[in-house]
């Protein structure tokens, strides 16, 4: 009886850079929703505006990069941004 051999497990490269504007807006929305329970509306508004400005900064940084993630299922080219 021969031992069972398997191929080594290969992990794909996950590029988080094309997803950064989405992740920043998502994190800002979660923080604003949960933070609204504990802090004032003005603080939540400043955090929301700051998150959107940070997301806009990452969009400007990604301009003309034409990167993709998840095997091309998520593209961050000029049309998508």
């Amino acid at each position: 009886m021969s031992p069972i051999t398997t191929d080594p497990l290969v992990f794909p490269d996950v590029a988080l850079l094309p997803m950064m504007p989405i992740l920043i807006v998502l994190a800002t929305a979660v923080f604003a929703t949960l933070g609204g329970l504990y802090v004032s509306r003005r603080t939540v508004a400043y955090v929301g505006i700051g998150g959107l400005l940070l997301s806009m900064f990452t969009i400007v940084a990604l301009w003309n990069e034409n990167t993709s993630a998840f095997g091309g299922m998520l593209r961050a080219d000029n049309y998508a941004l």
Side-chain angles (χ1 to χ4, degrees), residues 8-80:
L9 187 60
V10 177
F11 293 104
D13 290 333
V14 177
L16 292 178
L17 190 61
M19 296 188 324
M20 283 309 281
I22 299 167
L23 294 176
I24 290 170
V25 170
L26 177 68
T28 302
V30 167
F31 181 77
T33 301
L34 295 177
L37 299 172
Y38 302 108
V39 295
S40 68
R41 284 186 177 183
R42 179 169 288 186
T43 305
V44 172
Y46 287 145
V47 168
I49 291 170
L52 291 177
L53 288 174
L54 184 63
S55 177
M56 286 175 27
F57 175 73
T58 58
I59 288 172
V60 169
L62 283 173
W63 198 258
N64 287 332
E65 288 293 321
N66 295 329
T67 59
S68 65
F70 301 111
M73 293 178 66
L74 178 73
R75 293 202 48 90
D77 54 1
N78 292 347
Y79 182 71

